[in-house]
Amino acid sequence: MRDAYQEQLDNLADELAGMCDQVADAMAKATTSLLESDLQLAEEVITSDIRIDELRANAEEKAFALLALQAPVATDLRTVVSAIHGAGDIERMGDLALHVAQAARRRHPQPVLPTEIGPYFAEMGRVGVELAHKAGEVIRTRDLGRAEELERDDDAMDDLHRHMFTVLMDPAWTHGVGPAVDITLLARFYERYADHAVAVARRIVYVVTGRMPGPLAV
Amino acid sequence: MRDAYQEQLDNLADELAGMCDQVADAMAKATTSLLESDLQLAEEVITSDIRIDELRANAEEKAFALLALQAPVATDLRTVVSAIHGAGDIERMGDLALHVAQAARRRHPQPVLPTEIGPYFAEMGRVGVELAHKAGEVIRTRDLGRAEELERDDDAMDDLHRHMFTVLMDPAWTHGVGPAVDITLLARFYERYADHAVAVARRIVYVVTGRMPGPLAV
């Protein structure tokens, strides 16, 4: 009985880690669709978000069943509650990748981004995808050193995010209000995506140490 | 024993409902600080956000203790898990009110909004504050009719949000990129604030009916 229970806990963690990889994939594709005005890829991200929503509902149901049937305590209870939180954060990451893809679709066949802005979003995409994969790894391994890495990656994302505003506010900005509005929202989506990845890792730190790391600057 | 347990459940609900009123108050003050460039009011919102974070941590701890010590099942388990979600949503509403106040502080003594844009944000503030109070009421009363009202209020917020983009994209927009960037983010903060209030109400619908209402358009 106890073994089946442990297996259920492990399965739940595997599913969450798998969700991380899926939203990493979604953000990688969404970023490419944005940079290359690739409508088909954008549609793919938009369609597959339903799958991530289902996985979240499924994970939450399993967590719920564990609470109801096993009444876990101590570390196990923290694990299950963190899984409920994590599933929510990861689903939200999927939503944010979806928003990026929707922006690419909305402007298609026009590019959303002026040419010189592309590299910043390529980098935000790269950092975001890495954060999502690392969050999955932290769920799988409970490696606290790895969890700390996410904080540094998130700092890099914040720097990129802030830099976009500097670019937009520069008198040399010649692309007008429309692209500025798009870029403001898009940069925010990437930044929030990163925040949620960090939140997932922090919950694992809490599971392992029993203490929540300090609040995320939001 | 059973009575003390029921009392703990009721206390948890009361605390969450109280948090709703606090973030309603924060958004009301943040909106006034934005519309009237009131630095003191902005500072007040910024300072008091710590209190909301503490209340969230406190609510989550109580929910955790209930899970560990009482091992609730069925409706009670749904109530406790929903409280954990709800505390997260309400804290996030506080963060979004904080962001509005930070925008007011950042531009002070300059106004953030061009004069003709003020009324839209006054209305977004009004709808947001009402949503937060109604979410608190739904937690207190479990009134499903009231919960449905939040969906309609959220539609009104979405309309206001969409309308802001129409205003910004209009060739008649003469205020340039800076204010457009501020308004884009601010409108997003109000819209997300409303989404979280709806999410709180939807969790209560789930507690009462055992079924989640359809996903929120995000």
Side-chain angles (χ1 to χ4, degrees), chain A residues 56 60 64 68 71 77-78 84-85 92 99 165 168-169 173 177-178 181 184-185 188-189 192 203 218, chain B residues 56 60 64 68 71 77-78 84-85 92 99 165 168-169 177-178 180-181 184-185 188-189 192 203 218:
Chain A
R56 184 252 174 108
E60 205 167 296
F64 202 85
L77 176 56
R78 288 204 298 271
I84 292 174
H85 283 294
R92 185 76 200 139
H99 289 346
F165 290 107
L168 294 177
M169 298 301 183
W173 177 259
V177 169
V181 166
T184 299
L185 284 176
R188 175 99 188 142
F189 297 152
R192 291 296 300 151
R203 288 276 169 190
V218 284
Chain B
R56 184 251 173 106
E60 207 167 294
F64 202 85
L77 177 55
R78 288 206 297 272
I84 292 174
H85 283 294
R92 185 76 198 138
H99 290 345
F165 290 108
L168 295 177
M169 298 303 184
V177 169
V181 167
T184 299
L185 284 176
R188 175 100 188 141
F189 297 152
R192 291 297 299 152
R203 288 276 169 190
V218 282

Side-chain angles (χ1 to χ4, degrees), chain A residues 165 169 188 218, chain B residues 27 29-39 41-43 45-46 94-113 121 178-190:
Chain A
F165 290 107
M169 298 301 183
R188 175 99 188 142
V218 284
Chain B
M27 192 49 121
K29 284 180 178 157
T31 302
T32 304
S33 78
L34 183 70
L35 295 173
E36 300 177 7
S37 304
D38 185 331
L39 182 63
L41 210 51
E43 295 283 7
V45 174
I46 292 163
D95 289 339
L96 291 161
L98 170 79
H99 290 345
V100 171
Q102 283 170 328
R105 181 171 72 176
R106 196 178 308 125
R107 302 282 175 249
H108 189 271
Q110 296 301 315
V112 184
L113 305 173
F121 278 89
V181 167
D182 281 341
I183 290 168
T184 299
L185 284 176
L186 284 164
R188 175 100 188 141
F189 297 152
Y190 283 92

